[in-house]
Amino acid sequence: MPIRYIKAAPTTYVIQFQDGKVRREGPGLSFLYWVPTTTMVAVPLASADVPFAFNEVTQDFQAVTLQGQLTYRVADPKRLASLLDYSIAPSGKHLSNDPEKLEERLVQVAQVRARTVVQGMGLREVLGHSEVVEGQVLAALGASEAIRMLGVEVMGFSLLSVRPTPEMSRALEAEAREGLQRRADEAVYDRRNAAVEQERRIKESELSTELAVEEKRRQIREAQMAADIAVEEQRGALMERWSQNERQAADARAYALEKVLAPVRSMDWKTLLAANGGGSDPKLNIALAFREMAENAHKIGELNMSPELLSGLMGPAQREPRSEPHSEPRTRGNR
């Protein structure tokens, strides 16, 4: 049929050309048109994701693979339709492959901007700071004149993976593994050193405690010795005082005895004995008689004593009964 009906989605910008002039344009239009004299252009306005993967070389001449996706949308559909062919057939399909070329151009521009960024960074920096690469490439795409002329706005540039070559990956893995092992060994050594340090602190604390205990014991011994010395000093003072008191008491007794004996010092002992009442004791008298005989033994020629006399001197318990009569001692002197 020469007459067709078109109904576009809200995210599709439709332009109707008839006899070389624009009859209608706008997003989401629906209308009838005469096919033989009408050219329909449909430019999608919705955002689209374009995957990419390209290889670049870093500042230190190491190959790296960047893989991700580019998000864009058409900001000026009339400009884009003037540069690329977005005409559609009555069936709704595009008549050319220019819409696919748009994505290729965007990926090429993104690759050029990514190459500039990656070549200014080292491999480790690229692998460890992919967000820096994303930010710089996105800023470069936003300021790109080629993309602005296409009427396209780049909404996002995301890196899903950044991979070095397999050989470099293994080398980095080995280096990282050795670094982790070294840090693990250092952690073990630090733990051992900490344990040794803690043990040393414990030993020092124990030694300090022992020294403090010994110091306290020494102070206790010194206090005990000082107490003993004080006790001995007090005991010495007591003994000295006691000796002084004893000397004074002895001097007093000697003085009293001296005063008592002074009157009788020149008297005969016999007189003193008689004055003391010793003459009333027969045994004492016999003893005095024997003493006088002993003093005059050179004058006595013969001395006879009866057993009764001796038993009387020895006491009642040792006296043996005798039938002989008592006899007085008899002396015979040399005349």
Side-chain angles (χ1 to χ4, degrees):
M1 294 179 62
I3 298 177
R4 291 292 182 94
Y5 177 78
I6 183 172
K7 182 180 181 181
T11 57
T12 301
Y13 194 89
V14 178
I15 303 175
Q16 180 186 5
F17 288 91
Q18 189 173 7
D19 296 333
K21 296 180 180 180
V22 178
R23 296 291 301 273
R24 295 183 183 89
E25 65 176 323
L29 297 179
S30 60
F31 54 89
L32 293 172
Y33 66 94
W34 182 254
V35 176
T37 60
T38 302
T39 301
M40 301 297 298
V41 175
V43 180
L45 300 177
S47 62
D49 295 329
V50 182
F52 63 84
F54 41 82
N55 298 324
E56 298 298 337
V57 179
T58 61
Q59 186 179 16
D60 48 1
F61 308 101
Q62 299 297 323
V64 64
T65 301
L66 303 178
Q67 183 178 359
Q69 66 180 13
L70 176 69
T71 303
Y72 74 96
R73 74 178 186 89
V74 177
D76 191 351
K78 294 181 65 177
R79 180 185 292 272
L80 181 61
S82 66
L83 296 176
L84 297 176
D85 185 8
Y86 273 83
S87 60
I88 59 175
S91 61
K93 294 182 179 181
H94 287 96
L95 297 175
S96 67
N97 59 351
D98 284 358
E100 299 177 359
K101 292 180 180 180
L102 175 62
E103 295 182 354
E104 294 178 359
R105 291 184 182 182
L106 293 176
V107 170
Q108 290 175 1
V109 175
Q111 184 175 2
V112 173
R113 299 298 184 269
R115 179 181 297 115
T116 302
V117 174
V118 170
Q119 286 179 353
M121 302 172 64
L123 177 61
R124 293 181 180 274
E125 190 175 0
V126 173
L127 294 177
H129 301 86
S130 60
E131 69 280 357
V132 177
V133 178
E134 292 177 353
Q136 293 184 6
V137 173
L138 182 60
L141 292 176
S144 175
E145 183 66 21
I147 293 179
R148 186 185 63 79
M149 290 179 61
L150 289 173
V152 177
E153 178 185 1
V154 178
M155 302 175 61
F157 180 86
S158 303
L159 291 176
L160 302 180
S161 67
V162 180
R163 296 191 304 271
T165 60
E167 295 79 6
M168 183 55 63
S169 178
R170 286 192 294 269
L172 292 175
E173 289 177 0
E175 184 178 358
R177 184 169 56 252
E178 291 297 328
L180 292 175
Q181 186 65 35
R182 183 170 56 255
R183 286 194 291 272
D185 295 339
E186 291 176 356
V188 172
Y189 297 151
D190 292 340
R191 185 168 64 252
R192 291 180 179 176
N193 290 333
V196 172
E197 181 68 18
Q198 189 66 22
E199 185 68 21
R200 184 183 64 80
R201 291 179 181 177
I202 294 174
K203 291 295 185 182
E204 289 181 353
S205 178
E206 291 178 353
L207 292 177
S208 300
T209 303
E210 292 180 0
L211 290 176
V213 171
E214 291 297 329
E215 180 66 20
K216 291 296 183 181
R217 290 177 178 175
R218 184 183 64 81
Q219 294 177 0
I220 293 173
R221 289 195 299 269
E222 290 179 353
Q224 291 178 350
M225 292 176 62
D228 294 340
I229 292 174
V231 170
E232 292 297 330
E233 289 178 353
Q234 294 178 0
R235 184 177 298 174
L238 177 61
M239 293 300 295
E240 183 178 358
R241 185 65 178 175
W242 181 81
S243 300
Q244 184 178 1
N245 292 338
E246 289 294 325
R247 286 195 298 271
Q248 292 178 357
D251 293 341
R253 290 193 298 270
Y255 178 78
L257 184 60
E258 179 70 20
K259 292 301 182 180
V260 170
L261 296 178
V264 296
R265 182 174 298 172
S266 59
M267 296 177 63
D268 186 25
W269 63 274
K270 295 178 182 180
T271 304
L272 293 174
L273 184 60
N276 193 26
S280 60
D281 189 0
K283 296 180 180 180
L284 183 56
N285 293 329
I286 295 173
L288 290 176
F290 276 107
R291 178 179 178 81
E292 291 180 359
M293 287 187 293
E295 291 177 356
N296 299 313
H298 60 282
K299 299 179 179 181
I300 299 173
E302 183 180 355
L303 178 62
N304 294 323
M305 290 183 295
S306 64
E308 288 80 3
L309 178 60
L310 293 177
S311 61
L313 292 175
M314 293 175 63
Q318 297 179 356
R319 185 180 305 162
E320 295 181 359
R322 294 281 185 176
S323 59
E324 297 178 358
H326 177 70
S327 61
E328 293 292 334
R330 293 176 294 176
T331 60
R332 185 174 56 187
N334 297 326
R335 298 293 184 178

